[in-house]
Amino acid sequence: MERREQSVVPVARLAGVTREQFLRDIYPRRRPVVLKGMELGTCTTKWTVDYLSQAEGSKEVKIHVSAVPQMDFLSKNFVYRTLPFDVFVQRAAEIKHKEYFLSEDEKYYLRSVGEDARKDIADIRKQFPILAEDVQIPEYFEKEQFFSSVFRISSAGLQLWTHYDVMDNFLIQVTGKKRVVLYSPRDAPYLYLSGTKSEVLDVDNPDLEKYPLFVKAKRYQCFLEAGDVLFIPALWFHNVISEEFGVALNVFWKHLPAESYDKSDTYGNKDPTAASRAIQILDRALKTLEELPEEYRDFYARRMVLRIQEKAYRNDYG
């Protein structure tokens, strides 16, 4: 099969962007942007492996452990384990491990959660209060819009599955380097979705026999260094590789009115309530179509698709 490549678009990088400039010129466009030179506090210089270990000590944290670099949430090719925070940080910073769960080169990933992950949101001020004092979060949204601040630590080489979130967020790269690949919401038809996640795990060498449409998705890409902040608008798909051991903070905020979101959502990835209702109605409609013979079912399904395109699609973004 002839090898085809996705078109690649570099994500814009802008320095010295003020709150006013962001809200006036960047935010309304709903496109990813890397913001450089932001005032983030002392975290970018203080958060060494030793400092992190000492600051939060031996509190226990639940982590992802994977024997392979590419973590897949759909197939669950990783396990959850618990470690003291200081031990976890030391292991995550290693390439080869003397002590391990699965293999000597296993990868580690921490995604902080609330005290009760089913009820409480992640907030670095509550889960890691000492480290929170070192961080200055860019206040480019109203305080009442704030949803969560997710503390993340990744082993070098770890790759997270492609997914979207339903809220806007800043990915603040505090230490280390990341590569981020993004896809527009408009390219959802080419990403082979299962819920909020793409089945295409390897975005660099996809199986085009299995996922032939994936090559049609336009690939946006950026590289983050310590101190960079990536604005990821809601619904934009993103795939992240930690090129080095690194520490990051995701800050999510509500772009829509608060009542639009599922009140039980503690991760920021449940579809808005109106979207969930619409999908349920569609599922019932499709079930009803099953009462028709195949020829009629096909015809009326196509009419439904045309009606959705006519009433709900937009054509003014890429």
Side-chain angles (χ1 to χ4, degrees):
M1 183 175 182
E2 183 181 350
R3 179 72 180 170
R4 293 171 293 165
E5 300 290 341
Q6 290 177 321
S7 59
V8 179
V9 180
V11 174
R13 307 174 69 86
L14 301 173
V17 175
T18 65
R19 173 191 168 104
E20 291 71 24
Q21 290 171 326
F22 177 78
L23 294 175
R24 182 189 67 228
D25 302 329
I26 298 172
Y27 197 56
R29 297 187 65 226
R30 314 298 299 157
R31 300 285 285 272
V33 173
V34 177
L35 304 173
K36 300 188 67 68
M38 305 282 278
E39 179 52 58
L40 301 174
T42 59
C43 56
T44 54
T45 55
K46 289 176 69 174
W47 284 8
T48 62
V49 170
D50 289 341
Y51 175 79
L52 291 168
S53 301
Q54 294 167 9
E56 295 289 350
S58 60
K59 69 166 66 176
E60 292 204 328
V61 290
K62 186 177 181 180
I63 58 172
H64 303 65
V65 183
S66 176
V68 295
Q70 292 178 326
M71 287 178 55
D72 184 359
F73 192 84
L74 295 176
S75 69
K76 295 291 196 300
N77 66 345
F78 55 86
V79 295
Y80 293 105
R81 292 293 184 265
T82 300
L83 280 176
F85 181 74
D86 51 356
V87 174
F88 157 70
V89 171
Q90 295 290 335
R91 282 207 205 174
E94 298 170 344
I95 301 300
K96 296 285 186 181
H97 314 293
K98 292 182 179 178
E99 296 184 46
Y100 50 84
F101 296 107
L102 304 174
S103 66
E104 65 177 8
D105 56 354
E106 64 191 15
K107 304 297 183 183
Y108 296 87
Y109 171 56
L110 167 68
R111 191 268 189 215
S112 66
V113 295
E115 300 308 312
D116 183 341
R118 296 168 299 179
K119 299 178 181 178
D120 304 319
I121 62 159
D123 187 337
I124 190 174
R125 295 168 297 186
K126 296 178 180 178
Q127 286 92 46
F128 298 91
I130 297 173
L131 295 178
E133 294 177 2
D134 301 333
V135 182
Q136 182 175 321
I137 294 174
E139 295 183 349
Y140 285 22
F141 51 89
E142 300 300 325
K143 282 184 169 57
E144 59 270 20
Q145 291 179 285
F146 172 84
F147 177 72
S148 66
S149 51
V150 181
F151 183 59
R152 302 181 190 269
I153 297 180
S154 303
S155 293
L158 184 76
Q159 182 173 14
L160 295 180
W161 53 89
T162 305
H163 68 283
Y164 71 87
D165 301 295
V166 299
M167 298 184 190
D168 292 339
N169 84 85
F170 281 146
L171 172 53
I172 301 170
Q173 189 64 28
V174 181
T175 70
K177 297 179 180 179
K178 279 188 173 71
R179 186 202 72 179
V180 185
V181 173
L182 305 105
Y183 297 97
S184 164
R186 198 171 192 177
D187 281 343
Y190 312 133
L191 299 181
Y192 298 88
L193 300 184
S194 177
T196 63
K197 302 162 186 68
S198 170
E199 294 180 10
V200 185
L201 189 61
D202 190 343
V203 297
D204 297 306
N205 296 289
D207 182 346
L208 295 181
E209 294 283 351
K210 189 174 182 181
Y211 308 114
L213 296 180
F214 183 69
V215 75
K216 293 186 176 183
K218 182 186 292 186
R219 172 179 174 138
Y220 294 77
Q221 182 169 286
C222 64
F223 294 89
L224 302 181
E225 299 180 346
D228 287 348
V229 177
L230 172 61
F231 168 53
I232 306 177
L235 309 183
W236 274 75
F237 297 87
H238 43 287
N239 177 286
V240 181
I241 290 183
S242 296
E243 298 195 324
E244 301 174 344
F245 164 78
V247 185
L249 184 67
N250 263 129
V251 180
F252 292 87
W253 70 91
K254 299 174 181 177
H255 171 57
L256 304 177
E259 62 272 15
S260 302
Y261 298 98
D262 187 325
K263 290 181 173 55
S264 68
D265 185 7
T266 59
Y267 285 84
N269 60 9
K270 288 189 176 181
D271 292 317
T273 53
S276 295
R277 291 199 308 271
I279 291 171
Q280 291 170 2
I281 292 169
L282 176 60
D283 286 341
R284 290 198 295 270
L286 293 172
K287 186 71 175 177
T288 303
L289 283 183
E290 292 179 5
E291 299 173 12
L292 294 170
E294 183 179 19
E295 179 183 1
Y296 284 77
R297 185 167 67 245
D298 178 90
F299 174 74
Y300 285 103
R302 292 176 188 275
R303 281 196 58 189
M304 288 169 63
V305 170
L306 291 172
R307 187 166 179 81
I308 290 172
Q309 290 177 335
E310 176 187 349
K311 296 293 185 180
Y313 278 26
R314 55 180 289 193
N315 300 306
D316 58 345
Y317 74 100

